[in-house]
Amino acid sequence: MQIYIGADHRGLALKESLKNWLQEAGHEVTDVGPTTVNKDDDYPDYGIQVARAVGEAPKERRGIVICGSGVGMAVVADKVKGVRAGLIHDPRIAEAARRDDNINVLALGADFVDEEQAREVVSAWLTTDFSGKDRHQRRLDKIQRYEHEHSCPCA
C-alpha cells in the first residue's frame, strides 16, 4: 500500500512521527511536506497534493492529512475527484469509515490526538477493508455519479 502524507505546521510533528512508524512497518510512504515549521504555510497546499495523488490511483493509494483540527484538511481533500476523506479520532470510527464508506484519505487533528491515539486510528484504518456490501456500494456509486456530473472539467 502506498501512503501519501502531508501536514501544515501544526501537524508537522505528528506527520513525522507517523511517517517513521509507517515506514518501519513496511509501508511505502510519500511525504509531500512540509519538512520544517513555517507558521505561514497553508494546509490546502499540502492537503491538495495528498488528495490529488490518491485521486489518481484511489485503489492503490491512501492518504493521511494532518492540521491542527483536521477539519480543514478533510474539507480540502474531499474537493478532489476520487477522494473520500474523513476526520477521525477514534479507531472504531476508522474501521466503520473504511468498512462502510471506503474512505481513502484520513484526516487527523494534531491538537486533538496524541501520537498513540493517532497510531491506533491509522492502524484500524489501514487494516480494515471495504465490505463491498450492496447498500454501501450503492451509496458510493451515487456519490461518484454526483461527483462526475458536477465536477469542474478544469481540475
Side-chain angles (χ1 to χ4, degrees), residues 63-109:
I64 299 172
V65 290
I66 309 163
C67 64
S69 70
V71 174
M73 285 291 204
V75 169
V76 73
D78 262 335
K79 301 295 182 195
V80 176
K81 189 174 183 176
V83 169
R84 287 174 310 282
L87 169 59
I88 300 173
H89 294 150
D90 180 275
R92 293 174 301 152
I93 296 172
E95 290 171 3
R98 281 289 306 145
R99 183 186 62 240
D100 301 346
D101 302 307
N102 201 16
I103 71 162
N104 50 18
V105 173
L106 173 66
L108 296 169

Side-chain angles (χ1 to χ4, degrees), residues 17-37:
S17 172
L18 288 175
K19 177 180 72 174
N20 294 333
W21 174 71
L22 288 164
Q23 288 171 330
E24 289 170 7
H27 295 283
E28 181 182 343
V29 181
T30 301
D31 183 350
V32 304
T35 56
T36 60
V37 173

Side-chain angles (χ1 to χ4, degrees), residues 3 18 21-22 25 27 62 64 88 90-95 98 106 108 115-129:
I3 301 168
L18 288 175
W21 174 71
L22 288 164
H27 295 283
R62 292 203 200 158
I64 299 172
I88 300 173
D90 180 275
R92 293 174 301 152
I93 296 172
E95 290 171 3
R98 281 289 306 145
L106 173 66
L108 296 169
E115 196 173 309
E116 182 180 338
Q117 288 173 292
R119 286 182 182 187
E120 290 174 5
V121 169
V122 170
S123 182
W125 178 67
L126 288 175
T127 59
T128 303
D129 293 322

